[in-house]
């Protein structure tokens, strides 16, 4: 009978200690509660809470997956360029546009450019319109040889893959 009473007392003590640690109750200075909360809270939310109280990354990010697409713009001399557009990114945060070539090093972008996602009427979440400065070779019937993707740095999320042709110096097959 003493053994079961001791076991019950030990379990009760462990449960009470766990509740005290996780909720921050029972600590006069509040340090234990902050430490436990920091250990449980994911890193991006912790950083956002530290930078702007009450305004977390999740509340600024659009709840759907970020989406990107490319369009072509012309010029007076007949050379087409690529514009990249996006929606569903974190408003006010930096997004990194990256170009990966099929013939280039795997997983390493050969071109990058940073932009800021902002509010654009008609598009959910943070959006952007960027002129990349890259040539669009699909207008000249070159095969698609590159992939453009956009990284939302605040949420560590990649957009969909956008296939484009940027190798205008390859031979047509």
């Amino acid at each position: 009978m003493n053994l079961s009473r001791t076991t019950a007392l030990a379990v009760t003590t462990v449960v009470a200690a766990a509740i005290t640690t996780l909720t921050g109750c029972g600590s006069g200075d509040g340090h234990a509660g902050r430490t436990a909360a920091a250990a449980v809270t994911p890193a991006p939310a912790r950083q956002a809470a530290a930078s702007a109280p009450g305004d977390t990354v999740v509340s600024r990010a659009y709840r759907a997956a970020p989406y990107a697409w490319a369009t072509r713009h012309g010029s007076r001399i007949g050379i087409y360029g690529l514009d990249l557009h996006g929606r569903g990114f974190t408003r006010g945060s930096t997004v990194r546009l990256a170009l990966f070539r099929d013939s280039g090093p795997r997983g390493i972008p050969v071109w990058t450019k940073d932009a800021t996602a902002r509010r654009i009427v008609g598009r959910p979440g943070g959006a952007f319109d960027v002129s990349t400065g890259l040539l669009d070779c699909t207008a000249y019937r070159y095969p698609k040889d590159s992939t453009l993707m956009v990284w939302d740095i605040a949420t560590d999320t990649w957009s969909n893959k956008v296939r484009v042709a940027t190798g205008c110096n390859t031979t047509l097959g």
Side-chain angles (χ1 to χ4, degrees), residues 16-89:
I19 290 172
T20 302
T21 303
L22 292 176
T23 61
C25 298
S27 174
D29 61 357
H31 290 298
R34 275 187 255 148
T35 305
V40 174
T41 307
R46 236 188 359 250
Q47 291 169 351
S51 63
D55 187 23
T56 63
V57 171
V58 176
S59 68
R60 290 184 290 149
Y62 185 64
R63 305 247 185 264
Y67 182 74
W69 68 95
T71 59
R72 175 184 314 147
H73 71 268
S75 70
R76 289 183 290 234
I77 59 173
I79 298 174
Y80 294 100
L82 282 171
D83 292 338
L84 193 61
H85 313 278
R87 65 173 169 80
F89 294 89

Side-chain angles (χ1 to χ4, degrees), residues 102 136-138 141-147 162-167:
D102 295 348
D136 181 18
C137 303
T138 54
R141 298 188 184 161
Y142 282 91
K144 294 181 178 180
D145 63 348
S146 301
T147 302
V162 180
R163 295 289 292 161
V164 294
T166 59

Side-chain angles (χ1 to χ4, degrees), residues 78-152:
I79 298 174
Y80 294 100
L82 282 171
D83 292 338
L84 193 61
H85 313 278
R87 65 173 169 80
F89 294 89
T90 305
R91 276 192 202 157
S93 73
T94 301
V95 293
R96 182 160 294 146
L97 293 64
L99 176 78
F100 301 90
R101 293 219 183 195
D102 295 348
S103 61
R106 187 175 180 97
I108 300 173
V110 296
W111 173 88
T112 60
K113 185 173 188 175
D114 288 349
T116 302
R118 56 182 171 38
R119 183 178 181 276
I120 295 179
V121 176
R123 293 194 215 163
F128 62 88
D129 295 315
V130 174
S131 179
T132 63
L134 300 169
L135 295 179
D136 181 18
C137 303
T138 54
Y140 307 109
R141 298 188 184 161
Y142 282 91
K144 294 181 178 180
D145 63 348
S146 301
T147 302
L148 279 167
M149 292 180 70
V150 182
W151 178 37
D152 188 344

